Amino acid sequence: MNRYVEMMERMPVPENQAERLKARVLAAEPEKKRRAYRPRSFAKNVLLAAVLVVLLAATAGTAAELVPWDAFFTERFSAGAADSPAAEDVFQNVDVTSVCGDVTLTVRQALGDEKTLYLLLDYQLPENVDMEMVRTVWEDRKGPVGNVELYSGTVKWTDIEGMGSWEASCALAGKNLPFSGSVETVDFDADSRTLTMLVTCAFSDKVSLGKPMTVLAWEPSVKWEGERVDLADHAAVVTFRPSYEARAKEGQKRKDGVTYTVELTPLSIKVENAGDREADLYTMWQLRQKIVLVYQDGTEAPIRDFSPTGSGGRGTSGDRHYESCKLLLKKLVDTAQVRAVRVGDLEIPIS
Amino acid sequence: MTAEELFEKTYTAYGPALYRFCRMQMGSNADTEDVLQEVFCKRLYRAPEFETAEQERRWLFRVAVNQCRDELRRKHRTDAALTNDLPAPAEADLGLWELVRTLPENQRTVIHLHYAEGWTVEEIAKILGTTVPAVKMRLKRGREALQREWEADR
């Protein structure tokens, strides 16, 4: 193999390569699709906040254009969502990192309101993980698979250090925030050993804004040669304080023995009808077809205009039957402009 | 340090070595410089802080490995043909060059990192994010393939 070494040593570098490369590299804009996480110093945060205040004050009419949604959010929601009037109320540039042993978690950004939360979560894998295996699974679009739980309040790494996910969940039982949703791995960077996950949460109950929230990340895993392989051997946590301000507007009305309840936020809508007789109720699919937003100026928009996804629920409570439709919206609703929700021919004022 | 200063510092320290690695992987000078552009862009705009020069060197080669793989996958390159863009290996080296280029990418990667760059099997495993046995196997197979082909040509 000496010959190989000698061959490589003899290989000349092209003339002017350095100058050529320098010109190309300096001219190349940093990749904008995925913003690399870099912890900012407090001084830089203060300066950035000051610059944003000045810019926002100077361009009040176009403030929404300055909301820097991550590319994954702009891909997930419709074009122009980041520029809509509600965009600023739901957005939070979180940038909080938690080092949990050999795993590092970063909440990059959040879009949220009292009933809904989307999180961009970076999960840096331990150094001993086989990156080629992860890369192969990622490129085959078969994973990695992740899972998270959410808790109210602060949980430190030392509170669960060394615990597996089941053990940590048990230890934190009672503080969890129930939600339905999903965790999707949306990116993998082998260089930094980082998985980026998009966490989607539709909360059962309204979440208190402004209070700390903890994300418990389970060990991500892949299916490899027929077996499930965990990419870490312990759970990890990161706590952040939601600062988004979007709240729900609610309304309720009764007609023909059926009570209709509405909850509307910029990111979601829930409509429930409840009554003594199941036959009197709209099914969740019928509700979905009948929901219309009524604006302050009298105009209306069917909920399908907001690209809804979701499902609903049905059941009984005592002797009352209920059926509901819960939808996540891909076009943001400017709830300040909505005065009522119409279900069929019944208009339900909301506030 | 400005971006220009960082580029010059990084290229002076690692540019030629990165070029040789990428050239061995990509085959053509044009593709090599495309890959190098991405590597240096990542160094300037997306790299973490490095505590030591050796850490930086390993990071750069890890990025180069991944970038070459991405580019090869994108171009579906499987042949080892040289193009006409100069400079090429010296004429006396062409036979060996072509032999190396016929190896699977993962074998010629470990061959180069071990023999041309002087990394140990353990260090290569860390750079590639794989296991020591995997690196040893690829080295063994790469050496055997080169030896077999080299002897067959004679």
Side-chain angles (χ1 to χ4, degrees), chain B:
Chain B
M1 191 183 292
T2 65
E4 185 170 352
E5 287 166 348
L6 180 57
F7 174 88
E8 286 170 358
K9 175 173 171 284
T10 310
Y11 187 88
T12 302
Y14 309 112
L18 285 168
Y19 166 76
R20 288 178 186 120
F21 172 77
C22 295
R23 186 76 158 89
M24 180 270 300
Q25 296 284 35
M26 303 307 300
S28 84
N29 217 46
D31 290 342
T32 299
E33 291 201 357
D34 285 346
V35 168
L36 284 176
Q37 177 184 337
E38 289 303 313
V39 172
F40 278 92
C41 278
K42 286 191 176 182
R43 175 63 188 94
L44 261 60
Y45 307 123
R46 294 183 59 185
E49 300 293 328
F50 300 111
E51 289 181 359
T52 65
E54 181 57 24
Q55 207 180 48
E56 183 186 15
R57 179 172 166 244
R58 284 188 198 177
W59 186 91
L60 283 166
F61 272 88
R62 178 188 297 158
V63 171
V65 166
N66 289 332
Q67 207 61 48
C68 287
R69 284 178 178 168
D70 286 346
E71 199 61 23
L72 285 168
R73 204 166 282 127
R74 195 175 67 79
K75 291 175 184 291
H76 301 292
R77 289 287 176 86
T78 54
D79 61 279
L82 284 170
T83 62
N84 286 331
D85 53 349
L86 294 174
E91 195 171 328
D93 293 328
L94 279 177
L96 178 57
W97 172 265
E98 286 170 1
L99 274 179
V100 171
R101 291 276 299 139
T102 61
L103 293 178
E105 176 271 328
N106 58 0
Q107 288 177 21
R108 61 176 190 255
T109 293
V110 300
I111 291 266
H112 187 92
L113 295 181
H114 185 62
Y115 292 106
E117 292 299 324
W119 271 306
T120 65
V121 165
E122 289 75 19
E123 288 168 330
I124 295 170
K126 276 192 179 173
I127 290 169
L128 299 181
T130 188
T131 62
V132 167
V135 173
K136 283 183 176 174
M137 181 60 68
R138 291 171 204 172
L139 261 180
K140 179 173 180 289
R141 286 179 180 162
R143 276 195 299 252
E144 285 171 355
L146 286 178
Q147 200 166 3
R148 201 167 47 238
E149 294 299 320
W150 190 255
E151 284 171 0
D153 274 355
R154 272 144 182 69

Side-chain angles (χ1 to χ4, degrees), chain A residues 57-80:
Chain A
T59 58
T62 59
E65 294 172 10
L66 299 175
V67 182
W69 283 24
D70 188 280
F72 287 112
F73 283 147
T74 54
E75 282 174 21
R76 179 59 54 115
F77 290 83
S78 60

Side-chain angles (χ1 to χ4, degrees), chain A residues 77-90:
Chain A
F77 290 83
S78 60
D83 298 329
S84 63
E88 206 179 342
D89 291 336
V90 301

Side-chain angles (χ1 to χ4, degrees), chain A residues 329-346:
Chain A
L329 308 175
K330 287 198 177 169
K331 287 184 186 173
L332 270 60
V333 176
D334 184 3
T335 56
Q337 301 303 318
V338 179
R339 66 173 177 80
V341 173
R342 186 161 58 76
V343 181
D345 57 3
L346 179 68

Side-chain angles (χ1 to χ4, degrees), chain A residues 10-180:
Chain A
R10 278 196 287 268
M11 180 183 292
V13 176
E15 207 174 313
N16 300 325
Q17 182 187 78
E19 290 307 311
R20 240 182 351 266
L21 266 181
K22 181 163 75 172
R24 286 167 70 173
V25 170
L26 295 180
E29 287 191 18
E31 187 182 18
K32 283 191 165 59
K33 184 184 176 190
R34 179 175 180 275
R35 188 166 62 88
Y37 170 67
R38 298 209 180 193
R40 283 199 292 265
S41 69
F42 178 71
K44 282 185 185 174
N45 275 333
V46 168
L47 178 60
L48 179 61
V51 167
L52 279 175
V53 165
V54 169
L55 285 172
L56 284 169
T59 58
T62 59
E65 294 172 10
L66 299 175
V67 182
W69 283 24
D70 188 280
F72 287 112
F73 283 147
T74 54
E75 282 174 21
R76 179 59 54 115
F77 290 83
S78 60
D83 298 329
S84 63
E88 206 179 342
D89 291 336
V90 301
F91 171 79
Q92 180 179 352
N93 205 39
V94 180
D95 258 356
V96 168
T97 291
S98 170
V99 178
C100 303
D102 54 2
V103 164
T104 300
L105 275 187
T106 301
V107 180
R108 214 197 293 180
Q109 288 191 353
L111 295 180
D113 57 40
E114 284 184 302
K115 294 285 302 204
T116 326
L117 178 61
Y118 294 88
L119 287 177
L120 265 187
L121 186 68
D122 286 332
Y123 188 113
Q124 188 178 46
L125 296 166
E127 285 209 12
N128 62 353
V129 172
D130 185 343
M131 284 298 116
E132 288 197 19
M133 173 184 68
V134 179
R135 189 186 178 91
T136 303
V137 170
W138 166 248
E139 287 176 352
D140 288 345
R141 295 290 184 260
K142 292 180 180 171
V145 174
N147 190 24
V148 305
E149 293 178 16
L150 298 178
Y151 297 88
S152 62
T154 301
V155 178
K156 298 193 291 287
W157 160 237
T158 48
D159 295 334
I160 62 155
E161 187 168 351
M163 291 186 193
S165 300
W166 280 113
E167 197 181 346
S169 293
C170 293
L172 300 173
K175 290 199 232 180
N176 52 313
L177 298 170
F179 69 90
S180 60

